[in-house]
């Protein structure tokens, strides 16, 4: 990589980003594009928990950036990377930084995390010295070389970066502790000069990887930097080192300096300011003392932060007059297309939605069922699954007797042994090694007009017949004429002498709790006629659920209008009860097969009537 | 955040436990010690520290992160338990002044008295590129007079074992019979210092009796960011606020919010009867606002110091603003009050999002603000700042509040001058 020893980053710098920080990476790429860089600055992402290339925009085009699980792997593929921007958390930044230090190719590591233990940082500093690496941070936003390379989130939005003249080179070097303030200072410097050449925020910790003075001395050597600005902070002795470097003529270019924290004298006890390194208490580390030392050494020190812009302007104009600084030729930054998300937020565009949802919402602090927070529904013991079904299916807050009835139905239909087609399918699938969901789905797929799907049909037929005021007799006659079996009537083994107990219980509950029993009574009248023909043509569990459910809704005229009831039947809500309830049993069968390690099922040949003959070899 | 002082009681406990665990100090027994908080009952202290019963010859001293207790006549020596109780009663009766700070004495360390002759000094400090161990045979209250006697060695951060051998160089003046035990003690202290993420340790003095090493006085700071590594090692620790700085309910609430979020929320009340109130985004910017107020000779009118930063949610910002605003209207003053909602140009904090939290709080406090003649001065830049400024201006005007808003075009601290004109 073509890089001068006083440069950490330039227009060719290629970086590795540790941590999948989509926003920060996109901001870096936007900056690259605006600056007309030849290639994007982000070459690879390391994400210990996942791999696969990630999509990003470069201008209006989409590009893929490869993602690796380790630094080593990423560097094996990308030979020109010499910068790592480390977004790892304060817990893991130590280890990943250490790995990077040991890598020959990496020359500069930026640590973003705040809150790395000081001992760990000091170990990293010692290691980086040994291996001649530059560490910027921890607890920093990074830095920027105007028009060439920017670290992570430095500089904020693209509009702000252009307004602060960060998209092309100026002549000012800038170093500060604070990342937030560095952005402010790019703006101040941009307004009062031709802008920065390079700006670095070393981070707010007591032991930054590299110090203010380290960067000032490095930038001093850069012929394109003509003047420097440094923003120090109360606490530590870094600024005193700067004063010494000025006195020793190591720093010779004009330097405007200000140390913040002059307010500390207002506090009677030791105060920890926002940055870990900014702590009041020691006299020689006070802002006033350090400002004084810098001034004595020959730095240009304003009277307060408010005047720093003025001092920059004066110094800059002097250098222009002396022809040390030439005016910058402004180049036009490339335009970045607007981001959909931002535009939407700013209400500058609109777009029709794609999906409608009226039962639940997850946009607030807590997801809701029909406006009721899930925690509230969960917390109230009296509100069972029936209540949730009321909210999410019917969009109604059902009274307790109705909720209980829904749960009774679910209990009733949960299972009916292994031989019915649904359970059979689930069992066969489970034994073929399929997963839970496939096996469940395989069972559910059998539910239809012949198996389990009779509740809807029964409801439709009984409802229509009753509403058309047909007598039971007329209804049976009509169905016979059509040649259609009445859904909900008939059972394989049960009969009027040997009644289905499930039906008895549901009937009893309906009679006791529902104000209206018209449809059940109608169905029972039909049963009276059908059992005369054959004694197993009784009202079965499907028919009973169908008619009692209509009765239940009819008993709640304030909740269900008649029109709504017709609609619900039409949309197939009642079959939903069977599907939901039976899913419990189907999953039971799935787990049961696994529990007993049942092997692949093969249907016995004895049970097949072969209509063609097999060929014998003899 | 980073370096924090802990009580001598907790410091000694940590060191005793650590020494007990290591091989070289197999015979070492944990020393007796008890911490008494005057807000708790005396009976509870005795119940939890049975060894105190009928004990004579005790030492008692306040344990609140300040030193020079001997010189301030704040050590009770050779007292029996009843005398200790009387001594504490007397010392905690009214606030005392240490240096510039006045505060109540609330926590006391009680230990058995150790009869001794020799007093040694040992310290461990951290430098940028090494740790430093200091030792002197002339420890005790006059350490500062004898500062030249303190010999120091540097310990490499990566290869410390080699440097620890140099400890014997510190011990030239120690009697031959004590050399070995002191050497081992310092080695173990250093290992504990390193493993437990201490940032400052000073034992002045320790002594040697026939019971072995006795730590008489200890100052300890540790790095609280290391709690994810050290939680179990440290045990139950508290980080007391410095002597002289009582923490108000509002400050405590913000502190608890801060601990729950990845964002940074801080509040220090300086003078609740002052006229300039600040709600500033960013750790660096918040200091500069306070500086500017001080530089304009308005320090006595600065009500608070604080910051909100690191992209707090709307709700966190709302809670922060509400807490601050509730303090603003505690005291009715003649004249005006100024609220500076300040900040630099954010890198990634969404200005509109945080401002909507402030607007919610302004809504709650609109009537009170009018009564207290509050004018709001806003200066902010960063992602979505235009929308944020527009919305806060519109909302304040709807609430009937006096407001002016400024973006990056105005120098960051210019609003301080504007606020100054308003309150004067």
């Amino acid at each position: 990589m073509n890089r001068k020893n006083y440069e950490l980053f330039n227009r060719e710098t290629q970086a590795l980003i540790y941590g999948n920080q989509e926003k920060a990476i996109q901001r870096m790429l936007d900056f690259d594009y605006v600056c007309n860089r030849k290639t994007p600055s982000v070459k690879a992402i390391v994400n210990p928990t996942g791999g696969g290339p990630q999509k990003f925009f470069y201008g209006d085009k989409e590009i893929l950036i490869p993602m690796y699980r380790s630094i080593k792997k990423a560097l094996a593929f990308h030979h020109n990377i010499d910068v790592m921007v480390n977004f790892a958390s304060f817990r893991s930044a130590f280890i990943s930084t250490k790995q990077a230090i040991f890598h020959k190719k990496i020359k500069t590591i930026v640590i973003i995390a705040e809150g790395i233990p000081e001992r760990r940082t000091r170990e990293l500093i010692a290691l980086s010295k040994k291996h001649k690496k530059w560490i910027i941070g921890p607890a920093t936003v990074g830095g920027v070389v105007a028009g060439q390379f920017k670290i992570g989130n430095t500089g904020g939005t693209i509009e702000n970066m252009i307004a602060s003249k960060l998209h092309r080179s100026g002549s000012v070097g800038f170093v500060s502790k604070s990342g937030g303030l560095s952005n402010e200072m790019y703006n101040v410097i941009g307004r009062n000069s031709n802008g920065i050449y390079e700006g670095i925020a070393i981070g707010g910790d007591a032991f930054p990887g590299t110090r203010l003075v380290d960067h000032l001395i490095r930038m001093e050597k850069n012929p394109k930097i003509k003047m420097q600005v440094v923003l120090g902070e109360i606490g530590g002795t870094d600024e005193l080192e700067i004063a010494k470097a000025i006195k020793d003529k190591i720093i010779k270019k004009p330097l405007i300096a200000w140390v913040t924290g002059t307010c500390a004298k207002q506090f009677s006890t030791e105060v920890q300011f926002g940055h870990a390194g900014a702590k009041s208490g020691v006299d020689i580390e006070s802002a006033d003392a350090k400002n004084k030392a810098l001034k004595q050494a020959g730095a240009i020190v304003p009277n307060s932060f408010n005047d720093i812009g003025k001092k920059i302007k004066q110094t800059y104009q002097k250098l222009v007059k002396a022809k040390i600084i030439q005016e910058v030729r402004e180049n036009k930054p490339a335009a970045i297309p607007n981001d959909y998300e931002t535009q939407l937020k700013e209400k500058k565009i609109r777009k029709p939605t794609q999906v409608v949802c009226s039962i639940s919402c997850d946009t607030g602090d807590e997801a809701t069922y029909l406006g009721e927070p899930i925690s509230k529904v969960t917390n109230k013991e009296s509100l069972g699954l029936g209540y949730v079904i009321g909210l999410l299916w019917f969009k109604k807050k059902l009274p307790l007797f109705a909720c209980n009835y829904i749960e009774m139905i679910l209990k009733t239909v949960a299972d009916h042994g292994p031989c019915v087609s649904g359970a059979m399918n689930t069992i066969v699938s489970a034994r073929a090694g399929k997963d839970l969901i496939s096996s469940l789905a395989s069972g559910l797929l059998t539910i239809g007009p012949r198996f389990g799907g009779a509740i809807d049909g029964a409801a439709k037929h009984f409802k229509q017949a009753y509403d058309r005021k047909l007598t039971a007799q007329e209804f049976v006659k009509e169905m016979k004429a059509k040649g259609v079996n009445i859904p909900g009537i008939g059972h394989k083994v049960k009969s009027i002498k040997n009644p289905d107990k499930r039906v008895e219980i549901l009937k009893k509950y309906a009679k006791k709790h529902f104000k209206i029993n018209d449809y059940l009574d109608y169905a029972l009248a039909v049963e009276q006629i059908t059992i005369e023909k054959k004694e197993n043509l009784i009202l079965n569990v499907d028919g009973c659920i169908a008619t009692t459910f209509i009765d239940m809704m009819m008993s709640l005229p304030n909740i269900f209008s008649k029109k709504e009831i017709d609609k619900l039947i039409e949309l197939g809500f009642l079959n939903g009860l069977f599907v939901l309830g039976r899913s419990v049993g189907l999953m039971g069968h799935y787990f049961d097969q696994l529990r007993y390690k049942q092997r692949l099922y093969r249907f016995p040949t004895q049970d097949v009537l072969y209509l063609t003959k097999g060929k014998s070899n003899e | 955040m980073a370096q924090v002082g802990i009580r001598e009681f907790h410091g000694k406990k940590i060191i005793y436990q650590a020494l007990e665990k290591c091989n070289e100090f197999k015979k070492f027994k944990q020393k007796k010690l008890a911490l008494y908080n005057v807000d708790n009952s005396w009976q509870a202290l005795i119940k939890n520290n049975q060894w105190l019963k009928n004990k004579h010859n005790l030492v008692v001293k306040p344990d609140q992160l300040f030193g020079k207790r001997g010189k301030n006549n704040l050590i009770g020596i050779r007292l029996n338990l009843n005398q200790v109780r009387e001594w504490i009663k007397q010392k905690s009766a009214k606030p005392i002044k240490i240096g510039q700070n006045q505060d109540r004495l609330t926590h006391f360390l009680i230990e058995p008295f150790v009869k001794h002759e020799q007093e040694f000094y040992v310290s461990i400090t951290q430098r940028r590129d090494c740790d430093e161990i200091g030792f002197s045979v002339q420890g005790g209250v006059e350490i500062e007079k004898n500062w030249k006697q303190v010999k120091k060695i540097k310990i490499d951060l990566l290869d410390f074992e080699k440097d620890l051998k140099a400890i014997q160089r510190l011990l030239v003046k120690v009697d031959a019979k004590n050399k070995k035990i002191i050497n081992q003690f310092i080695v173990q202290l250093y290992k504990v210092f390193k493993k437990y993420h201490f940032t400052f340790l000073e034992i002045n003095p320790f002594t040697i009796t026939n019971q072995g090493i006795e730590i008489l006085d200890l100052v300890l700071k540790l790095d609280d960011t290391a709690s994810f590594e050290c939680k179990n090692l440290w045990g139950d620790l508290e980080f007391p606020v410095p002597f002289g700085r009582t923490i108000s309910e509002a400050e405590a609430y913000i502190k608890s919010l801060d601990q729950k979020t990845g964002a940074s929320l801080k509040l220090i009340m300086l003078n609740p009867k002052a006229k300039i109130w600040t709600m500033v985004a960013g750790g660096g910017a918040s200091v500069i606002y306070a500086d500017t107020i001080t530089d304009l000779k308005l320090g006595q009118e600065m009500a608070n110091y604080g910051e909100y930063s690191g992209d707090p949610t709307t709700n966190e910002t709302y809670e922060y603003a509400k807490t601050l605003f509730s303090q603003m209207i505690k005291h009715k003053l003649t004249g005006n009050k100024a609220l500076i909602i300040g900040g630099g140009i954010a890198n990634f904090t969404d200005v509109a999002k945080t401002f909507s939290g402030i607007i919610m709080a302004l809504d709650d406090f609109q009537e009170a603000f009018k009564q207290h003649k509050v004018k709001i001065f806003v200066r902010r830049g960063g992602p979505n700042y235009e929308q944020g400024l527009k919305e806060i201006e519109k909302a304040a005007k709807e609430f009937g509040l006096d407001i002016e808003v400024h973006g990056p075009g105005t120098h960051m601290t210019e609003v301080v001058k504007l606020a100054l004109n308003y309150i004067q």
Side-chain angles (χ1 to χ4, degrees), chain A residues 209-260:
Chain A
T210 43
R211 301 165 301 166
L212 298 171
V213 67
D214 298 326
H215 289 280
L216 289 175
I217 291 171
R218 178 176 61 77
M219 290 189 205
E220 174 80 21
K221 293 180 195 145
N222 188 335
K224 291 193 178 133
I225 292 175
K226 310 292 186 187
M227 57 183 275
Q228 303 202 76
V229 179
V230 63
L231 200 61
E233 203 172 70
I234 184 172
T237 55
D238 202 3
E239 294 83 353
L240 301 176
E241 301 281 331
I242 299 171
K244 189 168 175 291
I246 300 173
K247 273 189 190 157
D248 295 347
K249 306 244 182 288
I250 298 167
I251 296 175
K252 289 175 295 212
K253 291 174 183 170
L255 175 69
I256 297 127
W258 178 249
V259 180
T260 72

Side-chain angles (χ1 to χ4, degrees), chain B residues 4-8 10-15 65 124 192-193 196-203 218-222 237:
Chain B
V4 288
I6 60 168
R7 293 192 201 284
E8 186 174 348
H10 291 117
K12 280 182 169 168
K13 237 179 149 176
I14 289 176
I15 291 178
L65 311 190
I124 310 176
V192 174
F193 185 88
Y196 285 62
H197 284 267
F198 294 167
T199 60
F200 178 81
L201 175 147
E202 187 179 65
I203 299 177
L218 166 76
V219 180
L220 191 60
K221 288 183 183 179
L222 49 77
L237 259 194

Side-chain angles (χ1 to χ4, degrees), chain A residues 65-224:
Chain A
I65 296 182
M67 185 152 87
Y68 303 90
R69 279 177 185 264
S70 73
I71 299 171
K72 204 173 156 186
K73 267 193 187 151
L75 293 179
F77 285 100
H78 304 279
H79 301 287
N80 290 328
I81 289 176
D82 70 348
V83 171
M84 177 166 113
V85 181
N86 193 347
F87 278 98
S89 78
F90 65 92
R91 287 186 179 82
S92 59
F94 170 68
I95 291 170
S96 44
T97 304
K98 204 167 152 184
Q99 287 169 352
I101 289 174
F102 284 118
H103 254 282
K104 256 199 187 142
K105 289 177 192 161
I106 300 282
K107 299 289 179 223
T108 308
I109 301 154
V110 186
I111 308 173
I112 306 296
E114 181 175 348
I116 298 176
E118 288 177 354
R119 172 160 300 277
R120 297 291 177 225
T121 308
R122 291 191 302 139
E123 284 173 31
L124 291 175
I125 293 170
L127 273 177
S128 68
K129 272 193 185 159
K130 206 166 146 188
H131 294 266
K132 299 199 168 57
K133 307 286 166 93
W134 282 79
I135 292 182
I136 298 174
T140 183
V141 72
V144 55
V145 178
Q148 306 195 36
F149 178 83
K150 91 153 180 150
I151 300 165
N153 289 311
T154 305
T157 57
I158 280 294
E159 297 78 20
N160 177 62
M161 296 197 81
I162 294 171
S164 301
K165 303 181 183 164
L166 294 175
H167 61 291
R168 91 292 179 274
S169 293
S171 309
V172 184
F174 172 73
V175 190
S176 80
K177 287 205 134 190
S178 161
L181 274 178
S182 63
N183 202 17
E184 181 67 34
M185 285 304 296
Y186 299 151
N187 178 40
V188 172
I189 293 169
R191 288 162 173 280
N192 293 291
S193 72
N194 65 2
I196 66 153
Y197 183 87
E198 176 179 355
I200 298 288
I202 61 161
D205 274 6
F207 299 105
T210 43
R211 301 165 301 166
L212 298 171
V213 67
D214 298 326
H215 289 280
L216 289 175
I217 291 171
R218 178 176 61 77
M219 290 189 205
E220 174 80 21
K221 293 180 195 145
N222 188 335
K224 291 193 178 133

Side-chain angles (χ1 to χ4, degrees), chain A residues 265-402:
Chain A
K265 43 188 183 278
Q266 289 300 322
F267 305 91
S268 57
T269 56
E270 193 182 77
V271 167
Q272 176 71 64
F273 290 105
H275 293 147
K279 199 165 190 170
S280 68
V282 188
D283 286 343
I284 58 157
E285 297 181 9
S286 80
D288 287 341
K290 292 199 280 191
N291 276 321
K292 206 171 139 197
L294 283 163
K295 200 167 189 173
Q296 276 173 358
I300 303 158
V301 180
N303 291 325
S304 90
F305 180 77
N306 226 11
D307 298 332
I308 200 165
K310 237 183 272 166
K311 294 286 180 193
I312 293 168
K313 196 168 201 165
Q314 286 167 5
T315 310
Y316 174 74
Q317 283 172 344
K318 251 189 229 169
L319 293 175
V320 172
K321 231 179 214 172
K323 303 220 156 109
I324 293 169
I325 292 180
Q326 269 89 46
E327 294 289 336
V328 176
R329 211 169 32 134
E330 296 290 344
N331 56 355
K332 205 175 160 240
I336 295 271
N338 288 318
D339 258 335
Y340 175 75
E341 297 280 341
T342 352
Q343 296 277 299
L344 197 64
K345 223 188 214 169
E346 288 168 8
K347 297 183 180 152
K348 284 188 181 152
I349 45 166
R350 59 187 186 187
K351 177 179 164 296
T353 54
Q354 301 191 30
V355 172
V356 73
C357 173
S358 70
I359 56 169
S360 60
C361 182
D362 60 351
T363 59
D365 265 355
E366 194 191 338
T368 53
Y369 297 157
L370 203 72
E372 285 193 39
I374 297 178
S375 60
K376 196 187 141 201
V377 177
T378 310
N379 201 24
K380 222 169 164 189
E381 279 172 36
S382 60
L383 302 181
L385 186 60
Y387 186 75
V388 176
I389 291 173
L391 294 176
L392 294 180
W393 288 17
F394 304 110
K395 292 177 65 182
K396 308 285 181 195
K397 291 176 184 173
L398 295 180
L400 191 61
F401 79 85

Side-chain angles (χ1 to χ4, degrees), chain B residues 70-191:
Chain B
K71 286 195 168 170
N72 281 309
N73 194 23
L74 286 174
I75 304 185
I77 295 177
R78 296 193 148 181
L79 307 177
N80 66 32
L81 190 58
N82 281 331
Q83 286 168 322
V84 166
R85 192 178 183 180
E86 273 312 304
W87 191 91
I88 290 176
K89 231 182 215 167
Q90 189 203 335
K91 298 291 178 192
S92 60
K94 51 181 181 231
I96 62 155
K97 209 162 179 185
I98 303 282
Q100 291 189 343
N101 301 314
Q102 187 164 310
D103 202 348
R104 258 179 81 219
L105 293 178
T106 53
H107 288 73
F108 293 87
L109 176 64
I110 307 166
E111 294 166 291
F113 175 74
V114 177
K115 196 175 167 217
H116 65 280
E117 281 156 18
Q118 241 184 328
E119 297 195 325
F120 302 100
Y121 169 93
V122 64
S123 69
I124 310 176
T125 49
Q126 50 172 7
R127 301 263 169 270
R128 182 176 167 79
D129 48 6
C130 64
D131 291 320
E132 207 168 66
I133 300 179
F135 175 81
S136 167
V137 290
Q138 277 175 279
V141 283
E142 298 303 336
I143 185 70
E144 271 152 20
K145 247 190 221 165
N146 299 317
W147 200 247
K148 278 190 188 143
Q149 299 297 322
V150 178
K151 295 272 171 285
K152 292 185 174 176
I153 56 163
K154 289 183 172 172
I155 308 290
D156 190 282
L157 294 171
L158 301 175
D159 185 13
F160 67 95
E161 298 278 2
K162 182 188 81 213
D163 288 342
L164 286 180
K165 295 203 177 93
I167 289 175
Q168 49 185 321
R169 287 213 315 264
L170 297 173
L171 309 180
V172 182
K173 289 187 180 166
V174 175
D175 298 341
K177 61 170 175 158
N178 288 333
K179 263 190 180 145
K180 192 178 164 199
I181 181 169
I182 293 184
N183 197 331
Q184 281 178 343
F185 177 55
I186 296 177
V187 168
Q188 288 314 319
L189 270 187
Y190 180 74
K191 286 184 177 167

